Amino acid sequence: MEWGEEAFAKAERENKPVLLDIGAVWCHWCHVMDRESYENPATAELINEHFVAVKVDRDERPDVDTRYQAAVSAISGQGGWPLTAFLTAEGKPFFGGTYFPPDDRYGRPGFPRVLMTMAEAYAQRRDEVMETAGSVMRAIEHNESFSGRGGVLNDSLVKKLTESVERQFDERNGGFGSQPKFPHPGAIDLLIDAAGRGDERARVVAETTLRRMAAGGIYDQLAGGFHRYSVDERWIVPHFEKMAYDNSELLKNYAHAYATFGDEEFARVARDILRWMDEWLSDRELGGFYASQDADDSLDDDGDYFTWTRAEVEEVLEREEFLVAEALYNLRAVGDMHHNPQKCVLHVSPVGGATVEQIAKVLKMNIERVRELASSAKKKMYAARLKRKTPYVDKTVYTGWNGMCISAYVQAGRLLAMPEAVAFAVKSLDRVLNEAWGPHGLAHVVAYGEGVASRAGVAGVLEDYAFVANAALDMWEATGEMIYFNAAREIADTMLARFCDAEQGDAMSRGFFDTEKDKGGIGALSAQRKPLQDAPTPAGNSVAAMALLRLAALTGEDFYETRAKDTLETFAGIVEHFGLYAASYGLALGRAVSGTTMICVIGEDARAEGLEAAALRPFAATTSVVRVRDMSALPSALADTLPYLPGIDSSVAVVCRGKSCLPPVGTVEELNQLFAMGS
């Protein structure tokens, strides 16, 4: 059954516990457990006799997932997917785990044994079950409470968060920590921002990490785009699923790195991410971005779509092309995949393959010829891969993830001079606003994928509001169209009304809940959460604070800034302990303590384009670059702040901070001089 009142009423009526299975379309072990257990007739009979079974997609119901992940972590010490939880008829968890095998193995009890043990406990030891459920509920509520942990906002806290990220840097392989290794795009943006302000250590960490990821198997060397994470510390063997939210944030990373460091390699990777998202993860006709691409096409496939044997490569390439591809992609007789040692994950220098220059020397070819052969080999291999059975693409269009993708397309489109990316972002944002936004607020789902019947609407969560508000502000900065500014403000106002924890009146707001406040819900949904940790998407409170700070600078309305700073102060006493997982907080905090720098580029000609390109470099989390095309249609504070410009008949840039602006400049050189003077 779906999560809802009907399932729990049935459990109450039949005096049965609820078996909750939380998984995801892209989750390999979820599919394994489905096949081994839920599709097994004998196991299914056990479940139907003793439980009311409820299945939840974690992407569709993040509110359910986060709470029961916390519950199972409290019970077993770990979470993840599939999540298997046993609940009372009131929805309170009393036991749980992740994957259970069909019989005793891997040091785990077999699922039928677990089922019978839990059914027996619920039937015969109900008092113990209820006591355990109460303890777990108290643990959830305690873990999600940040009351009394406030602190002062200052630059030193930003520095502490940045240094915490730097301390976890893997000097040998790039990235943070050891295996398994996740990209952590928020941390990378925090480092790029610091590098743009002269932090040399941050520059080394960010550049090394971005290069090593792009060279590894976590990056799809043929189609572009990144897999979800690497199982090894060298970025070679990934979990092969690809997520919208990973690629949106990594697209920002590589575009921001290009803007800050000027290395064309970062621009190339950013364009490749765009290429993959255009081809696989976007609705080109209607606008909007799909949720994910699965890791494999069946349970018998373990990354086979993405990996290659030497024989498979030889079959599709000419001899010279193969010699180049063999060296470039590190193709070996004994490859990288345990289930089939002949299978290789494509990865390049500096992870394991040879450089173009080294290949040219060994093969006694000129470098240009090697590049031509590498290019033709890549095209042929990708064409051959397209003939394989393609892993499933979940075409659900989620509101918050679309906000992330829209922001990424706008920012990358501007930095890479790709107006087509901005144009698709416009189409996508228009769709989100038309189909998911209205008097009811934001819906969590814009549209379901192919073959999925339309379901009862799922209300938007905090992240949906925060991501879309920021996306609308990004769009307004790029286009100057007031419709997007107005949408951002309306969404932010609704977010404040529905999610902000306003203690003792509006003046005492203290952060945001992840779901609408005081709404309650079944079981663990009654626990109120204030998300602070980036895991894996940027935390709702940090992103909400950033949106409010941006609005404060544009409207002059103090209450936006007050609520943003109150939100950040709520977590300031504890946030440094989150380190790597609080990077989005660090980015918002930087804007809160330093204020917003607004660079307004006024004009429509080539000079304006040049001024805009210069204003966007380097990336700075505290800076907004606005294209002003109509001086009569501006947000109130900006309209009041921008000086009247009599007699100016050519494009100019105006740098503003607070309620004052510097005199306009008309050349890139003059604008760069202002930056050099610390304006």
Side-chain angles (χ1 to χ4, degrees):
M1 303 181 73
E2 287 189 36
W3 177 275
E5 297 287 350
E6 183 181 350
F8 288 90
K10 178 179 172 68
E12 180 71 29
R13 188 169 59 249
E14 298 181 4
N15 194 28
K16 292 179 178 178
V18 170
L19 169 61
L20 174 63
D21 170 44
I22 302 179
V25 171
W26 43 265
C27 168
H28 173 79
W29 284 101
C30 301
H31 302 324
V32 171
M33 192 165 173
D34 283 346
R35 183 173 72 174
E36 291 177 340
S37 294
Y38 294 118
E39 295 174 16
N40 180 289
T43 304
E45 185 176 351
L46 274 181
I47 292 170
N48 289 329
E49 180 180 354
H50 297 287
F51 300 90
V52 172
V54 173
K55 193 169 184 66
V56 167
D57 183 320
R58 63 88 43 216
D59 296 339
E60 183 184 24
R61 292 302 303 262
D63 53 340
V64 176
D65 178 61
T66 52
R67 284 159 175 78
Y68 287 97
Q69 288 286 348
V72 170
S73 292
I75 292 167
S76 68
Q78 68 177 49
W81 304 283
L83 192 83
T84 309
F86 295 87
L87 320 179
T88 69
E90 297 77 33
K92 297 178 180 179
F94 62 91
F95 184 74
T98 52
Y99 165 78
F100 289 103
D103 46 47
D104 295 1
R105 64 173 82 158
Y106 313 131
R108 297 170 182 254
F111 196 42
R113 182 154 69 93
V114 172
L115 290 169
M116 293 311 300
T117 302
M118 291 303 107
E120 184 271 338
Y122 195 78
Q124 300 181 21
R125 302 196 306 277
R126 185 71 59 88
D127 289 346
E128 292 179 29
V129 165
M130 298 307 291
E131 183 179 348
T132 299
S135 298
V136 175
M137 287 294 293
R138 288 190 291 274
I140 297 171
E141 291 163 357
H142 175 75
N143 288 343
E144 301 300 339
S145 172
F146 293 97
S147 59
R149 301 182 186 181
V152 178
L153 308 182
N154 51 50
D155 281 323
S156 67
L157 186 52
V158 180
K159 185 173 176 60
K160 284 181 181 178
L161 290 171
T162 306
E163 290 174 345
S164 176
V165 172
E166 293 171 353
R167 282 195 298 273
Q168 295 182 65
F169 177 56
D170 179 347
E171 300 278 354
R172 179 184 295 272
N173 303 298
F176 311 100
S178 59
Q179 60 190 29
K181 189 169 278 185
F182 289 81
H184 296 290
I188 296 171
D189 256 2
L190 185 67
L191 294 168
I192 296 171
D193 177 68
R197 290 180 279 106
D199 185 332
E200 181 63 19
R201 176 62 175 167
R203 182 192 69 78
V204 170
V205 176
E207 284 196 300
T208 302
T209 297
L210 290 170
R211 291 187 200 284
R212 293 301 175 89
M213 286 196 303
I218 191 174
Y219 180 65
D220 187 339
Q221 301 293 335
L222 300 182
F226 282 85
H227 302 291
R228 194 162 70 95
Y229 69 93
S230 173
V231 301
D232 63 283
E233 70 277 6
R234 297 170 58 209
W235 303 108
I236 293 177
V237 180
H239 254 225
F240 288 96
E241 61 271 12
K242 290 180 174 180
M243 312 302 296
Y245 57 73
D246 285 326
N247 282 281
S248 70
E249 301 312 280
L250 286 163
L251 173 56
K252 292 178 190 174
N253 285 163
Y254 281 92
H256 293 162
Y258 172 62
T260 302
F261 308 128
D263 191 320
E264 182 59 36
E265 174 66 7
F266 296 140
R268 181 194 68 80
V269 177
R271 292 189 192 100
D272 256 7
I273 298 172
L274 282 166
R275 174 170 64 91
W276 176 75
M277 293 180 74
D278 281 351
E279 184 175 2
W280 292 101
L281 221 62
S282 59
D283 186 331
R284 307 310 294 176
E285 180 182 355
L286 299 177
F289 296 88
Y290 303 139
S292 61
Q293 183 177 30
D294 210 338
D296 32 51
D297 67 74
S298 73
L299 294 180
D300 300 316
D301 164 24
D302 189 1
D304 290 346
Y305 174 79
F306 296 100
T307 55
W308 297 80
T309 65
R310 286 169 57 89
E312 287 171 338
V313 179
E314 285 182 296
E315 186 178 337
V316 299
L317 300 182
E318 301 295 333
R319 181 60 182 168
E320 281 191 328
E321 291 171 329
F322 174 77
L323 291 174
V324 170
E326 175 188 36
L328 181 63
Y329 294 129
N330 202 28
L331 297 168
R332 305 173 315 284
V334 178
D336 308 294
M337 304 298 292
H338 292 304
H339 77 290
N340 181 354
Q342 292 183 313
K343 281 281 192 175
C344 298
V345 181
L346 305 185
H347 52 280
V348 301
S349 178
V351 172
T355 65
V356 169
E357 290 76 14
Q358 290 169 335
I359 295 168
K361 185 175 181 180
V362 170
L363 296 181
K364 296 181 171 54
M365 296 180 183
N366 65 56
I367 291 175
E368 193 53 43
R369 176 60 177 160
V370 170
R371 289 198 176 103
E372 289 173 1
L373 290 167
S375 178
S376 62
K378 179 177 178 178
K379 290 175 183 175
K380 287 182 180 180
M381 290 173 70
Y382 187 42
R385 198 177 86 177
L386 289 173
K387 296 176 182 177
R388 301 174 179 177
K389 186 179 178 182
T390 305
Y392 177 76
V393 173
D394 178 4
K395 294 189 176 180
T396 306
V397 179
Y398 288 108
T399 299
W401 295 357
N402 267 257
M404 298 170 74
C405 292
I406 290 162
S407 287
Y409 264 54
V410 171
Q411 293 176 37
R414 297 179 80 186
L415 289 167
L416 301 173
M418 296 179 67
E420 65 275 18
V422 178
F424 186 74
V426 169
K427 177 185 281 192
S428 300
L429 181 55
D430 287 346
R431 183 181 184 187
V432 171
L433 296 176
N434 289 333
E435 298 184 23
W437 170 241
H440 59 280
L442 269 175
H444 179 61
V445 179
V446 179
Y448 284 99
E450 297 172 339
V452 179
S454 182
R455 307 178 190 179
V458 179
V461 295
L462 173 62
E463 288 186 357
D464 295 316
Y465 285 79
F467 288 134
V468 174
N470 276 289
L473 288 172
D474 286 332
M475 189 64 74
W476 174 74
E477 290 179 7
T479 66
E481 296 290 339
M482 282 296 289
I483 185 175
Y484 300 119
F485 171 80
N486 293 333
R489 185 168 188 175
E490 290 168 7
I491 291 168
D493 288 344
T494 305
M495 178 178 72
L496 282 164
R498 298 189 181 185
F499 296 86
C500 189
D501 180 12
E503 298 177 357
Q504 302 176 28
D506 289 345
M508 294 294 291
S509 60
R510 290 290 182 266
F512 291 85
F513 299 116
D514 65 329
T515 57
E516 293 189 29
K517 57 188 178 183
D518 304 323
K519 194 172 183 179
I522 299 165
L525 285 187
S526 63
Q528 294 189 312
R529 299 180 63 250
K530 292 181 180 178
L532 170 63
Q533 180 172 311
D534 299 342
T537 56
N541 270 280
S542 305
V543 182
M546 179 65 88
L548 297 180
L549 291 167
R550 296 172 72 183
L551 280 170
L554 293 168
T555 63
E557 299 285 357
D558 290 339
F559 69 87
Y560 287 131
E561 183 171 3
T562 299
R563 280 153 179 72
K565 288 185 174 180
D566 281 345
T567 297
L568 296 172
E569 286 172 358
T570 298
F571 308 108
I574 195 173
V575 70
E576 66 180 280
H577 301 297
F578 284 73
L580 188 67
Y581 298 93
S584 63
Y585 178 96
L587 292 166
L589 177 61
R591 189 175 284 237
V593 297
S594 299
T596 296
T597 297
M598 195 84 63
I599 305 175
C600 303
V601 178
I602 304 163
E604 290 283 359
D605 57 10
R607 175 184 284 187
E609 298 292 335
L611 289 167
E612 179 181 13
L616 289 165
R617 293 172 171 78
F619 164 69
T622 58
T623 299
S624 294
V625 179
V626 182
R627 280 302 299 270
V628 180
R629 292 172 170 85
D630 183 356
M631 293 289 289
S632 66
L634 292 172
S636 52
L638 191 57
D640 292 341
T641 302
L642 277 177
Y644 179 60
L645 303 174
I648 293 180
D649 55 5
S650 60
S651 297
V652 294
V654 183
V655 179
C656 304
R657 282 182 58 83
K659 297 182 179 180
S660 63
C661 297
L662 296 172
V665 295
T667 67
V668 169
E669 291 74 17
E670 290 173 309
L671 183 58
N672 287 336
Q673 285 176 4
L674 293 182
F675 293 157
M677 292 187 295
S679 62

